[in-house]
Amino acid sequence: MTEEQEGVPLPRQRRHTLFFLEAVRDFAPVFLDTEVDMGRVLAHRAEAREREGVRYSVSAYVLRAAGRVLAAHPDANAAIQGGPRRPRIARYPFVNGKLALDRTLEGRRVVLGTVVPDLQDAELATVQKHIDRVRDGDPEVLEEFASIRGLHRLSWAEGRKAFRQAAGSLALRPHLTGTFSVTSLGHRAVDSFHSVGGTTTTFGVGRILDRPVVRDARIVIAPVLRLSLAFDHRAIDGAEAADVLTEVKEALESV
């Protein structure tokens, strides 16, 4: 039997993912999804690329739309901690969105998250500029990921303790994990999925695919995105979560 078959220590570059998964065990997730007609988004995207030479990502549109919607839903733009006996909730006057990114760190493919701040009034170009800088930069030197790199250098026990302390701070949490999350697998043949991003609301973005939709009482073919929402039932109920998802859908369809 080889060493690989017997088992070897988990690569240290994946420690932050395991620490995160442990931290979100307290969540009580409920999952919703909807379909979004992305015709106007794609038209706006094509026009911007031709006029400005800028390629806006689908995630940028979702971040901007969700940021504006959550600013009107303070209970959903919140964080909760503590067990059932003494829970505490913090509501934030700003909206920060965490975007999960597929990156390579020290030769290992990992998920890294960047927080786009002040999405309650950020323009699309500002959102995309942030995404481009982090997506195209070197994660081994970018300041956003300094804490992750430092975490990997600690022992397992020290890293776990440090992560739990940071994740347990309601004051730090919106700057580390955002007040909401967006994660996308639309670059592959994934129609929809649901993910818990460590925030009260997490949006899952699948691929855009031509599907039949009804417009003006006629069935036509349109580019459709399946957008999911996972929400923490400890913080909000299904009715408000449904409002949030519907309003994000409406915002994307009226770009």
Side-chain angles (χ1 to χ4, degrees), residues 4-48:
E4 288 286 341
Q5 291 171 326
E6 291 179 347
V8 296
L10 187 82
R12 57 189 173 83
Q13 294 89 347
R14 288 194 53 77
R15 287 181 180 177
H16 67 281
T17 299
L18 266 70
F19 296 153
F20 166 80
L21 292 173
E22 182 181 22
V24 299
R25 286 178 183 172
D26 291 337
F27 276 61
V30 179
F31 306 102
L32 310 176
D33 62 72
T34 190
E35 291 189 343
V36 182
D37 184 340
M38 296 291 281
R40 296 188 68 167
V41 166
L42 294 187
H44 182 275
R45 192 184 189 193
E47 182 182 353

Side-chain angles (χ1 to χ4, degrees), residues 160-178:
R160 181 173 178 267
K161 180 180 179 180
F163 189 95
R164 288 176 67 85
Q165 287 178 337
S169 169
L170 289 175
L172 287 177
R173 195 180 299 180
H175 306 291
L176 297 177
T177 62

Side-chain angles (χ1 to χ4, degrees), residues 21-233:
L21 292 173
E22 182 181 22
V24 299
R25 286 178 183 172
D26 291 337
F27 276 61
V30 179
F31 306 102
L32 310 176
D33 62 72
T34 190
E35 291 189 343
V36 182
D37 184 340
M38 296 291 281
R40 296 188 68 167
V41 166
L42 294 187
H44 182 275
R45 192 184 189 193
E47 182 182 353
R49 192 165 191 175
E50 181 177 351
R51 184 182 67 249
E52 306 168 25
V54 177
R55 185 183 184 278
Y56 291 121
S57 67
V58 173
S59 293
Y61 287 97
V62 175
L63 282 163
R64 186 185 67 160
R68 283 161 166 71
V69 168
L70 286 169
H73 291 270
D75 287 342
N77 189 56
I80 191 169
Q81 71 170 189
R85 293 184 180 180
R86 297 190 64 183
R88 297 179 64 83
I89 191 165
R91 296 176 179 85
Y92 304 104
F94 51 83
V95 185
N96 291 352
K98 183 185 74 172
L99 177 65
L101 297 169
D102 175 28
R103 300 305 315 272
T104 299
L105 182 63
E106 297 178 341
R108 178 73 54 176
R109 190 176 185 180
V110 297
V111 174
L112 297 174
T114 182
V115 175
V116 187
D118 299 321
L119 285 166
Q120 68 276 5
D121 51 20
E123 297 299 329
L124 186 64
T126 302
V127 178
Q128 188 62 51
K129 185 177 180 179
H130 181 109
I131 294 173
D132 289 344
R133 179 179 59 80
V134 179
R135 182 195 61 204
D136 299 336
D138 185 350
E140 296 187 26
V141 298
L142 281 171
E143 183 62 29
E144 278 88 349
F145 306 130
S147 59
I148 294 296
R149 297 191 300 267
L151 197 69
H152 294 165
R153 291 192 290 268
L154 298 174
S155 69
W156 178 273
E158 291 172 330
R160 181 173 178 267
K161 180 180 179 180
F163 189 95
R164 288 176 67 85
Q165 287 178 337
S169 169
L170 289 175
L172 287 177
R173 195 180 299 180
H175 306 291
L176 297 177
T177 62
T179 61
F180 76 98
S181 304
V182 172
T183 180
S184 173
L185 294 176
H187 67 295
R188 302 294 285 173
V190 176
D191 289 340
S192 63
F193 69 105
H194 298 83
S195 175
V196 176
T199 48
T200 293
T201 56
T202 301
F203 295 88
V205 179
R207 64 176 174 171
I208 297 173
L209 199 64
D210 284 343
R211 301 181 190 276
V213 301
V214 177
R215 288 181 180 169
D216 300 323
R218 297 177 57 192
I219 297 177
V220 299
I221 301 301
V224 172
L225 166 71
R226 286 183 174 158
L227 181 68
S228 70
L229 173 65
F231 71 93
D232 189 346
H233 208 335

